[in-house]
Amino acid sequence: MKQKVTNQTRRKMLIGGAAAASTPLWLNVANAQADTIKIGFPTPLTGPFSAEAQDQVKAAELAIKEFNDAGGFNGRKAELLVRDDKLNPGEAATRTLELIEKDKVNFVVGSLSAATQLSINAVCKERKVLFNSISQSDAINEAKDWSVYTFHEALNPTMTAGAVARYSIPRFGKKIVFLTADYAYGHEMVRAFERAGKEMGATTLADIRHPLGASDYSAFLPRIKALNPDILVLCNFGRDLVNAAKQCTDFGLKSSMKIVTPVLLYTSRLAGGPEAFEGIIGGTSYYWGLEDRIPTAKTFNDAFRKMYNGSVPSDYGALGYAGVKSVLASIKIAKSTDTMKVVSAMENLKYDWYKGPEYYRKCDHQAVQTVIIVESKSKNMKDKYDVFNILTIEPTTEKNMRSCAELGHKA
């Protein structure tokens, strides 16, 4: 039924339109400034890296809470929009595109795979959206994949595997075997370990590759034992690392070789248990035990404990926190959410969120930071969280990184 338009209805419509047209400019601006600052957060909530991803989200939410509790920016609060990329590069690209086009996020932080972060980065690069990656990759720093919108909060394999090589080869020997997850992360870790080892005269006896998500390593273990290396390097991650460590231990490999891993995950150690990881040495970007020597680590840990019933943050959780916090801090410094103004602020950011001083290298936006070398333990544990001994901390320095020229960046 067609509604009859009366003179009174027309007057209401005209009055409403006039009121809207005459709304003071300052009120429109205030409403606009009250819009939420949206940060997209793609990460693999399902699959073999789900434990690490859940920790990333928890710590990222802490960074959001701290920003909002401090008043946000010009009255605007921040919001984290989490999406499951299912550890699949195609899915990661799709979810990132949705975050940008449908959800209208201002910035993107996240990823937990060398492959997915490259697909996320490609979408952000095309859409001119700032992306702060919080998982390891060497490729993302290379000129062919990089853009001015690309930042890399996490360590990269050159830094991490290099630090583990520099610690372990002088102590345990020069004959090396790799057990490697057959995808970008594993390959980059091997290359970085070999790069550092070459300077010390190390030789690779074999690089034995397994599929991502493998559960049975029994076919590889007799060959590793027969090769009799000084060092076995586990270049895998998440559930793969847990399974490999357990089966290497059960097969008795620790009696004849030292087992190390470029990234010794806190979550993997909890999942695998003390016996499986006993004596395994590895690198990490963060361990909560730093609180005994670094004040900001204590502050971060205490805030996390308060928010999550006394639990402590993991290494990749800490990266989720730092990745989001760096973006939010740069918004305040820039006094704007404009992408290029925030990029400029981040390029000049000097910060210490949780592990000591850091900064982003100008040419590739890589976070220059320490690498912590830890050893898993099964004895003298103060509580269930006390799983590592800190052996050494490799200082913050660019000399252990690939040069800007090597990455393809102009001087």
Side-chain angles (χ1 to χ4, degrees):
M1 180 177 174
K2 189 173 180 180
Q3 185 177 5
K4 185 177 180 181
V5 179
T6 66
N7 289 334
Q8 186 178 8
T9 304
R10 286 193 186 96
R11 282 195 299 273
K12 287 181 179 179
M13 290 170 66
L14 288 169
I15 291 169
S22 61
T23 300
L25 178 61
W26 63 266
L27 186 57
N28 289 332
V29 171
N31 288 337
Q33 287 183 341
D35 291 344
T36 303
I37 299 168
K38 296 180 179 180
I39 297 182
F41 202 85
T43 192
L45 299 173
T46 54
F49 300 171
S50 60
E52 291 74 27
Q54 298 289 348
D55 266 21
Q56 285 182 327
V57 173
K58 288 166 68 176
E61 289 285 11
L62 173 59
I64 295 286
K65 181 180 185 301
E66 290 178 345
F67 178 81
N68 290 341
D69 287 351
F73 167 66
N74 285 355
R76 298 174 65 183
K77 298 298 179 73
E79 177 185 6
L80 196 71
L81 281 69
V82 181
R83 298 293 182 269
D84 184 7
D85 66 29
K86 300 179 182 177
L87 203 62
N88 180 285
E91 186 77 14
T94 299
R95 296 284 82 78
T96 303
L97 193 59
E98 285 179 355
L99 283 164
I100 294 170
E101 294 195 341
K102 180 182 176 183
D103 298 307
K104 308 297 182 185
V105 297
N106 303 90
F107 311 97
V108 176
V109 178
S111 79
L112 191 51
S113 155
T116 56
Q117 73 179 284
L118 293 176
S119 63
I120 294 167
N121 184 58
V123 173
C124 290
K125 180 179 178 179
E126 183 183 352
R127 294 297 192 277
K128 297 180 171 56
V129 172
L130 187 155
F131 171 47
N132 198 6
S133 173
I134 54 174
S135 67
Q136 296 229 9
S137 172
D138 271 328
I140 199 169
N141 297 103
E142 295 171 357
K144 62 183 176 63
D145 289 303
W146 186 86
S147 80
V148 70
Y149 309 104
T150 306
F151 285 80
H152 195 223
E153 188 73 43
L155 291 165
N156 61 45
T158 298
M159 300 163 75
T160 309
V164 175
R166 284 184 287 274
Y167 182 86
S168 60
I169 291 171
R171 290 169 173 81
F172 308 116
K174 299 179 180 181
K175 296 184 297 178
I176 315 296
V177 167
F178 297 94
L179 181 59
T180 306
D182 194 7
Y183 74 117
Y185 170 90
H187 304 163
E188 290 182 1
M189 288 297 178
V190 171
R191 185 175 66 216
F193 198 98
E194 287 183 324
R195 174 191 174 109
K198 186 177 180 181
E199 298 177 5
M200 295 174 278
T203 57
T204 298
L205 303 182
D207 178 10
I208 301 169
R209 297 187 174 184
H210 67 81
L212 180 63
S215 58
D216 185 1
Y217 295 82
S218 60
F220 310 123
L221 304 183
R223 185 183 172 200
I224 294 171
K225 188 171 183 66
L227 286 165
N228 194 31
D230 298 314
I231 299 173
L232 171 61
V233 187
L234 303 180
C235 292
N236 43 30
F237 191 91
R239 200 177 300 156
D240 290 354
L241 178 59
V242 173
N243 289 332
K246 282 183 174 180
Q247 291 173 47
C248 287
T249 298
D250 291 344
F251 198 73
L253 294 183
K254 288 178 181 175
S255 63
S256 58
M257 64 194 72
K258 188 65 177 179
I259 300 179
V260 307
T261 182
V263 180
L264 183 46
L265 290 162
Y266 177 78
T267 46
S268 292
R269 164 58 182 78
L270 291 181
E275 287 75 26
F277 279 89
E278 171 64 31
I280 293 179
I281 288 173
T284 185
S285 57
Y286 184 72
Y287 176 53
W288 71 269
L290 287 171
E291 69 180 15
D292 294 335
R293 61 185 86 185
I294 298 177
T296 51
K298 181 71 163 62
T299 301
F300 170 50
N301 291 343
D302 286 347
F304 193 93
R305 288 180 179 113
K306 183 177 180 181
M307 189 166 177
Y308 295 109
N309 300 315
S311 62
V312 295
S314 68
D315 34 26
Y316 273 78
L319 288 170
Y321 176 78
V324 171
K325 196 171 181 72
S326 289
V327 173
L328 294 176
S330 297
I331 290 170
K332 288 189 171 183
I333 293 168
K335 299 180 180 178
S336 173
T337 55
D338 175 79
T339 299
M340 287 311 301
K341 289 180 180 178
V342 176
V343 165
S344 179
M346 282 186 69
E347 286 180 333
N348 294 287
L349 188 67
K350 311 290 184 186
Y351 60 101
D352 177 2
W353 304 141
Y354 69 111
K355 61 178 290 187
E358 298 183 58
Y359 65 93
Y360 297 104
R361 185 166 65 168
K362 187 76 172 180
C363 74
D364 62 349
H365 296 169
Q366 169 62 49
V368 183
Q369 57 187 289
T370 59
V371 182
I372 302 105
I373 306 297
V374 295
E375 183 175 30
S376 184
K377 62 181 180 179
S378 61
K379 300 174 182 177
N380 302 318
M381 297 165 60
K382 291 182 289 187
D383 55 40
K384 64 181 180 179
Y385 305 119
D386 182 23
V387 298
F388 295 145
N389 288 319
I390 297 174
L391 300 178
T392 189
I393 300 175
E394 188 167 270
T396 302
T397 176
E398 293 186 27
K399 71 182 180 73
N400 293 329
M401 299 162 60
R402 290 193 294 171
S403 69
C404 296
E406 186 181 351
L407 293 166
H409 298 283
K410 295 179 181 178

